[in-house]
């Protein structure tokens, strides 16, 4: 029995919604990271096109701006992911391992003699059997902490690391492009004078071998 | 015949990467200061950030800081000549303004829309009474065994709104961002005394 197409579409849409609920519901920092990375990929594509299609920017500036945009896109996406991911993960770990905690969480850890595990990489408060006792207190700082860390990570990556690196890369590319353009202009004005030394040597070799002359 | 593939984490490389990640993670955790948030104000601030900073606000914060930081970094870039630096600054400012305005507006609108079409049996209307559930106002509601936690459900709505915003921005990046960036670049270059070729 073949299911109607609408049923498949409906099931597919439901799967997407449930999957988003599972992955983004618990961790808003992860949601900001993944959607942010996708967003930068799409907007970078549009920005490169903006420079390519702008006729009012002179060719000399375009040699700087196009590589600047491409460098911007590559560096932006990589640095956004690396920095934001690191900041979000660290912030989540700080809360889940109990390094950053509320007085209620502190009392809870003391009650169950778990304070010695604070700051241990494999320790996770959320995995504890009695987590429900402090769930509201934990959530009070966890969500905001992840969002704040994600925002700080993205500010550092997009507004500090990327502009510095892309300018360095684009300036280097511009110097190369200008040097190439100047070399091409110069070669166009060099008159042809006789034959080159290489051509002369080749002709001389052929001539010598024809006459059977040995040196 | 079925082929059983080992998960990458159980391969020697996967295990080594996991060990490395754990060692680095533990070293960083060791140097980070331990802190108990005793102030109610600090906990309230975290709660407010978690509740009110959606991807739209995140984009706005990013854009507002970018205006000062990115344009400033371009202004201090002495690896290029004055004219190129001037256009580069104009373009960065234009790009940030266009991207922030459209990014914020579209995200905000889509998150609001998702909110309106993802009602739950517990959702209350403006009059404080439970909302009558229809096919339309539950269009984006997921099917879960138990009613989702309110904070987690808010995160889901923000995430779905952001994903939909990205799909919309596939079109608006070219339809709005591109011409707006181009227009603003030429305007800023002219304002800052750029050469005739770059101005309108």
């Amino acid at each position: 029995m073949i299911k109607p197409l609408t049923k498949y579409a409906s099931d597919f849409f439901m799967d997407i919604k449930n999957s988003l609920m599972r992955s983004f519901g618990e961790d808003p920092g992860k949601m900001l990271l993944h959607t942010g990375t996708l967003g930068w990929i799409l907007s970078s594509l549009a920005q490169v096109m903006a420079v390519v299609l702008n006729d009012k920017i002179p060719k000399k500036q375009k040699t700087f701006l196009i590589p600047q945009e491409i460098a911007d896109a590559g560096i932006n996406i990589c640095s956004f992911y690396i920095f934001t991911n690191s900041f979000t993960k660290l912030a989540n770990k700080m809360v889940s391992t109990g390094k950053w905690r509320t007085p209620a969480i502190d009392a809870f850890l003391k009650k169950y003699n778990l304070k010695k595990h604070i700051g241990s990489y494999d320790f996770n408060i959320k995995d504890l059997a009695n987590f429900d006792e402090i769930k509201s207190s934990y959530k009070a700082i966890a969500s905001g902490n992840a969002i704040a860390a994600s925002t700080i990570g993205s500010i550092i990556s997009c507004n500090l690391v990327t502009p510095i690196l892309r300018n360095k890369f684009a300036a280097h590319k511009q110097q190369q492009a200008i040097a190439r353009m100047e070399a091409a202009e110069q070669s166009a004005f060099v008159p042809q004078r006789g034959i080159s030394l290489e051509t002369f040597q080749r002709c001389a070799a052929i001539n010598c071998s024809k006459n059977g002359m040995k040196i | 015949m079925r082929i059983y593939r080992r998960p990458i984490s159980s391969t020697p490389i996967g295990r080594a990467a996991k060990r490395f990640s754990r060692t680095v993670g533990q070293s960083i955790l060791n140097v980070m200061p331990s802190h108990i948030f005793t102030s109610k104000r600090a906990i309230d601030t975290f709660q407010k950030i978690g509740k009110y900073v959606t991807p739209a606000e995140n984009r706005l914060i990013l854009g507002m800081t970018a205006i000062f930081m990115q344009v400033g970094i371009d202004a201090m870039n002495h690896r290029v000549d004055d004219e190129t630096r001037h256009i580069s600054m104009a373009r960065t400012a234009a790009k940030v303004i266009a991207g922030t305005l459209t990014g914020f507006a579209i995200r905000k609108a889509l998150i609001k829309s998702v909110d309106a079409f993802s009602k739950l049996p517990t959702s209350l209307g403006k009059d404080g009474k439970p909302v009558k559930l229809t096919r339309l106002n539950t269009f984006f509601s997921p099917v879960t065994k138990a009613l989702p936690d309110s904070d987690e459900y808010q995160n889901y709505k923000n995430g779905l709104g952001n994903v939909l915003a990205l799909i919309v921005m596939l079109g608006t990046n070219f339809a709005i961002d591109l011409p707006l960036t181009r227009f603003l670049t030429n305007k800023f270059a002219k304002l800052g005394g750029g050469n005739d070729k770059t101005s309108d």
Side-chain angles (χ1 to χ4, degrees), chain B residues 131-147:
Chain B
V131 175
K132 191 185 171 192
L133 299 180
T134 62
R135 221 183 150 134
L136 187 67
N137 70 12
T138 56
F139 187 73
F140 292 122
S141 308
V143 177
T144 50
K145 284 176 188 168
L147 276 174

Side-chain angles (χ1 to χ4, degrees), chain A residues 53-58 61-62, chain B residues 87 182 186 195-200:
Chain A
L53 299 176
N54 193 344
D55 304 328
K56 290 191 172 112
I57 298 176
Q61 264 85 52
K62 273 194 181 182
Chain B
I87 293 181
R182 192 172 162 173
N186 294 329
N195 68 1
D196 292 335
K197 284 174 188 172
T198 55
S199 56
D200 269 333

